[in-house]
Amino acid sequence: MIRQFAALLLGTAILVAGSGLFNILLPVRAEIEGFSTLEIGALGAVYFAGFIVGCMIVPHFIRRVGHIRTFAVLSGAGAATVLALVFLIDPFAWGALRFVIGFAISGLYTVIESWLNDRAGAADRGTIMSVYTIVGLGMLMVGQFLLTLHEPSGFEPFAFVAMLFALALVPVSLTTARNPRRPATVSLDIPGLWRLSPVGFAGCLSVGLVNGSFWSLGPVFARRSGLDVDGVVYFIAGATLAGALAQWPLGRLSDRLDRRRVIAAAAVCAAASGALLGVWQDASTAALIALSFVFGGCAMPLYGLSIAHANDLVDKTGFVAAAGGLLLLYGIGASLGPVVASGLMAYVGGGGLFLFTTLVHAGLAVFAILRLVLQPRPVAEDRAGFVSVPRTSPTLYELDPRSEPLTDDERR
């Protein structure tokens, strides 16, 4: 089964490594170039705005020219855009180019995940999704560590990202597999999501606010806390690794308890570790990395927990639409969070980033606790188990084993 997807998974691994390097490189380089904190935050916001637009528009590209051609166009455009950043060092130019890259990355995820879903059967969707998630998380961290190979002030890291984006084309273009069927469309009902699951709604929006800020401004915080390039990489990679490791135990715990209890507890822990990071910036490198590890372990799994909680309340035929809407909420939060966090950083210093995350996590914890008190629910015995869900494109949720497989008519 995995051999069928070997070319696609290899292309995915190369692409995600390039994306991981780029996402940590850009804020570090922007600070070196003298961009203000607000400008760096805006760069993160426009990336997620481009990501949202890509999720909505790229399916139309796939219907028109197919998966392989769409992948080739977006990967090539991404490589060219990364190189253009080196020649157009200006906040407004970088903002426009960052939007294009967000659009391209979300479109590439849409191609990959709709391709996987087309080939997956009801019996093996869970296995395929697990392999895809492992490849994604593993190569994301590999990409982050690639920053240690070259100084971020030079041309080489950008060239390396462009090379990886271009190389991702090779296995996908050479595959002998037939072009997958066209992806399905899913209608989104945002007000309905609030009525269905207020905590799931608030959780995905909060995670977007926090994670969008962390990915956009975490490297800037680390630099201003005195960490060198290697220290910045370990700071970000520590949070990424902890988030991956904590998914399973927190998810399994949420399968046994009311998930809102686990969401509230993880949010409290994330708020506490974020508060320590915000006020203890002069800590040693080891202490900052350790706090980042705790923060990531509590904050990163909140998205999967929120999706799982909403899934407990929706029938299987509506899962894809609900999860796609929750991903859109994440994207909206991720496009707003960096702007607000960068404003706080400009006003109170680097610690403003984690002051912002602390306020958001504390608000989520209070809201979840209030919902527990005001509307207690028994734990459903027949609910689906927790599944670790990457934040990529709405198409991923068709692959989730908790959703009903689509019929051929629905795919068309």
Side-chain angles (χ1 to χ4, degrees):
M1 178 183 62
I2 300 302
R3 189 165 56 247
Q4 298 178 48
F5 303 105
L8 182 60
L9 290 174
L10 178 58
T12 301
I14 298 170
L15 174 70
V16 174
S19 179
L21 171 58
F22 180 74
N23 287 337
I24 192 173
L25 166 65
L26 197 72
V28 172
R29 179 61 178 267
E31 190 184 35
I32 292 173
E33 296 294 344
F35 289 17
S36 70
T37 305
L38 284 172
E39 289 168 341
I40 297 173
L43 290 176
V46 296
Y47 170 83
F48 287 105
F51 198 98
I52 294 171
V53 173
C55 288
M56 297 177 175
I57 293 179
V58 169
H60 298 287
F61 294 175
I62 298 173
R63 286 192 189 89
R64 183 170 184 177
V65 300
H67 288 70
I68 295 176
R69 288 183 179 178
T70 302
F71 190 97
V73 167
L74 294 174
S75 187
T81 305
V82 169
L83 292 175
L85 289 164
V86 184
F87 301 103
L88 300 171
I89 300 178
D90 174 81
F92 292 102
W94 275 29
L97 295 171
R98 188 80 161 122
F99 181 92
V100 173
I101 292 173
F103 181 96
I105 292 295
S106 72
L108 288 163
Y109 280 133
T110 300
V111 171
I112 293 164
E113 290 160 7
S114 61
W115 193 332
L116 289 172
N117 187 65
D118 180 76
R119 292 290 180 269
D124 53 24
R125 283 186 298 160
T127 301
I128 293 170
M129 185 173 174
S130 297
V131 172
Y132 173 64
T133 303
I134 291 168
V135 169
L137 289 173
M139 295 310 295
L140 179 66
M141 285 185 283
V142 169
Q144 292 167 350
F145 280 103
L146 291 176
L147 186 62
T148 62
L149 299 179
H150 298 283
E151 282 296 323
S153 57
F155 172 75
E156 294 87 350
F158 289 90
F160 203 43
V161 173
M163 287 169 58
L164 290 170
F165 281 5
L167 285 173
L169 279 165
V170 176
V172 174
S173 299
L174 290 177
T175 182
T176 58
R178 65 179 176 84
N179 213 30
R181 289 170 289 188
R182 294 170 293 177
T185 56
V186 201
S187 60
L188 304 180
D189 179 11
I190 301 302
L193 290 176
W194 171 258
R195 295 190 297 270
L196 173 76
S197 174
V199 173
F201 184 107
C204 288
L205 184 63
S206 299
V207 172
L209 289 167
V210 169
N211 289 10
S213 304
F214 179 78
W215 296 124
S216 302
L217 297 165
V220 177
F221 168 87
R223 292 272 293 182
R224 294 184 182 178
S225 298
L227 274 62
D228 58 13
V229 173
D230 288 358
V232 171
V233 171
Y234 281 104
F235 181 83
I236 300 298
T240 306
L241 176 62
L245 294 176
Q247 293 276 350
W248 188 81
L250 286 180
R252 293 296 293 169
L253 181 63
S254 75
D255 286 341
R256 291 167 171 78
L257 305 174
D258 189 321
R259 294 196 207 273
R260 294 173 296 176
R261 294 179 182 272
V262 182
I263 290 171
V268 167
C269 180
S273 55
L276 283 173
L277 282 167
V279 301
W280 196 24
Q281 288 179 260
D282 57 349
S284 66
T285 298
L288 287 172
I289 294 172
L291 283 173
S292 172
F293 188 88
V294 175
F295 175 83
C298 298
M300 303 297 175
L302 281 169
Y303 180 76
L305 291 169
S306 299
I307 291 287
H309 173 61
N311 182 55
D312 292 338
L313 307 173
V314 67
D315 61 87
K316 290 185 177 181
T317 58
F319 170 70
V320 176
L326 292 171
L327 176 64
L328 179 61
L329 285 171
Y330 171 87
I332 292 170
S335 63
L336 296 175
V339 177
V340 179
S342 62
L344 282 173
M345 291 178 75
Y347 183 70
V348 302
L353 168 61
F354 287 102
L355 171 62
F356 173 71
T357 68
T358 298
L359 291 173
V360 174
H361 282 137
L364 175 60
V366 170
F367 181 71
I369 292 169
L370 286 175
R371 293 295 301 177
L372 278 166
V373 173
L374 297 175
Q375 192 173 8
R377 289 193 183 101
V379 178
E381 294 181 359
D382 59 346
R383 63 181 180 172
F386 177 85
V387 176
S388 177
V389 181
R391 298 169 297 276
T392 47
S393 82
T395 308
L396 176 72
Y397 299 108
E398 298 173 17
L399 190 62
D400 194 308
R402 295 171 295 184
S403 67
E404 290 286 354
L406 296 173
T407 66
D408 288 345
D409 288 340
E410 288 172 329
R411 290 181 189 280
R412 288 190 286 269

